[in-house]
Amino acid sequence: MIDYLYDGSFDGLLTAVYASYYEEKAQGIFPQAAYQNNFFVPSRTVETDLVKAEKVYHAIERKISDLSLKHIFYTYLSNEANKETKILNYLQLGFKLGRQIDDLHAQPEVLPIRQTARKVSFEAERFLGLLRFKDTGSFLYAVLEPDHHILILLADHFADRLAQERFIIHDRKRGLAVVSNCQDWYITDFPEEIGFTYSEQEKDYQELWRLYFSQISIENRKNKKLQTQFVPHRYRRHLTEFTTGYSDKNIN
């Protein structure tokens, strides 16, 4: 058995799963960039092969279930340690049991995948309501620093909701962004140092939103604990209502 190393892409991960079944069985799968050499286990880097990846993708749909495919993809988007090996273990059981695996909630190969997928889904749902766009005059810009790599889960929602607007959603933690031009969207590298200028109206919008947020609250019904539960402090850095005010003409 060997460790397979891949390039970090979802297609690369599925290619490694393919190699484990048709070439040499894997002990684990790891991203090449973060792999620590193991003296006792040989390793091999797999080149991403879209044909092999597609075969594994459709095999999961056909032989296990769409729900399992969703859980696997969401787990891939997570920041969980050893997620690739957990996915491999899940798939090995899934290809034996088929759709039954969806009912084995407490199975050691299943529980970590379901729990991780739920965390990723929950964070994406949160940011559908917590993302704050700023008007640059020519496009809308929003920044976030999520725990998990959820940009792809946000893109379709905002491309549909803001169909008439060009926008950028910037994941500052990972240096990536969703860029939409009203017709298509794509994910691209996005350097930290890029800055934009606010539109003339943006300051007024921000002040009005802060005023609304402060005036709508009822003093004797404030519940800081509940508020923190719904809006954790780590997300508030980029929420207009929790920042002190307009202090820089640049967004970054």
Side-chain angles (χ1 to χ4, degrees):
M1 297 176 69
I2 65 173
D3 287 339
Y4 283 105
L5 313 183
Y6 77 111
D7 60 5
S9 68
F10 189 58
D11 287 329
L13 173 59
L14 296 185
T15 303
V17 172
Y18 182 96
S20 178
Y21 273 87
Y22 293 100
E23 297 172 22
E24 186 172 359
K25 191 171 182 180
Q27 175 162 298
I29 300 175
F30 303 90
Q32 185 177 15
Y35 184 66
Q36 299 288 327
N37 284 322
N38 186 334
F39 183 77
F40 301 101
V41 181
S43 62
R44 194 186 110 197
T45 300
V46 294
E47 297 295 329
T48 296
D49 185 316
L50 297 181
V51 174
K52 294 177 180 177
E54 189 174 12
K55 287 181 179 178
V56 175
Y57 185 95
H58 290 307
I60 297 169
E61 283 184 311
R62 190 174 63 256
K63 297 181 179 180
I64 308 179
S65 69
D66 292 337
L67 180 61
S68 286
L69 182 59
K70 179 180 178 181
H71 286 162
I72 289 164
F73 183 62
Y74 277 41
T75 300
Y76 160 76
L77 297 176
S78 76
N79 66 351
E80 291 291 313
N82 299 321
K83 60 186 180 185
E84 296 87 355
T85 301
K86 293 175 183 174
I87 289 172
L88 176 66
N89 295 337
Y90 180 94
L91 288 176
Q92 288 172 339
L93 182 64
F95 283 129
K96 290 178 182 175
L97 300 180
R99 193 175 297 275
Q100 296 177 35
I101 197 171
D102 291 337
D103 299 323
L104 303 178
H105 306 298
Q107 188 76 18
E109 294 89 346
V110 177
L111 184 61
I113 297 297
R114 295 181 67 92
Q115 289 177 328
T116 302
R118 189 179 302 119
K119 289 178 187 175
V120 174
S121 177
F122 185 59
E123 183 171 56
E125 288 290 331
R126 263 183 169 161
F127 272 102
L128 295 183
L130 293 179
L131 209 58
R132 300 290 181 260
F133 286 91
K134 298 178 176 65
D135 183 11
T136 69
S138 55
F139 60 88
L140 302 179
Y141 173 86
V143 62
L144 71 168
E145 297 183 60
D147 297 333
H148 307 290
H149 181 20
I150 58 172
L151 277 182
I152 196 170
L153 304 181
L154 303 178
D156 273 337
H157 172 85
F158 286 106
D160 181 59
R161 184 176 178 184
L162 304 173
Q164 305 302 317
E165 302 281 354
R166 295 188 297 172
F167 67 82
I168 294 174
I169 303 174
H170 180 192
D171 182 344
R172 183 172 285 174
K173 183 181 287 186
R174 294 168 182 80
L176 297 170
V178 171
V179 179
S180 175
N181 61 5
C182 300
Q183 295 180 337
D184 302 302
W185 62 263
Y186 58 91
I187 295 178
T188 184
D189 293 333
F190 201 82
E192 173 68 23
E193 60 270 16
I194 292 180
F196 305 105
T197 303
Y198 287 115
S199 70
E200 291 297 323
Q201 293 176 315
E202 180 58 31
K203 179 181 178 181
D204 293 335
Y205 291 153
Q206 291 190 22
E207 291 303 326
L208 284 171
W209 179 243
R210 289 191 189 90
L211 181 64
Y212 170 78
F213 183 75
S214 62
Q215 295 298 314
I216 200 173
S217 64
I218 300 173
E219 187 62 31
N220 59 5
R221 290 189 178 181
K222 284 185 177 178
N223 186 334
K224 294 291 184 181
K225 184 177 180 180
L226 185 62
Q227 186 183 56
T228 300
Q229 180 181 332
F230 284 111
V231 188
H233 286 276
R234 65 183 184 280
Y235 295 154
R236 297 184 185 185
R237 179 182 175 190
H238 303 297
L239 297 181
T240 304
E241 59 269 39
F242 290 102
T243 54
T244 54
Y246 183 91
S247 59
D248 190 339
K249 71 177 183 177
N250 289 327
I251 291 174
N252 284 319

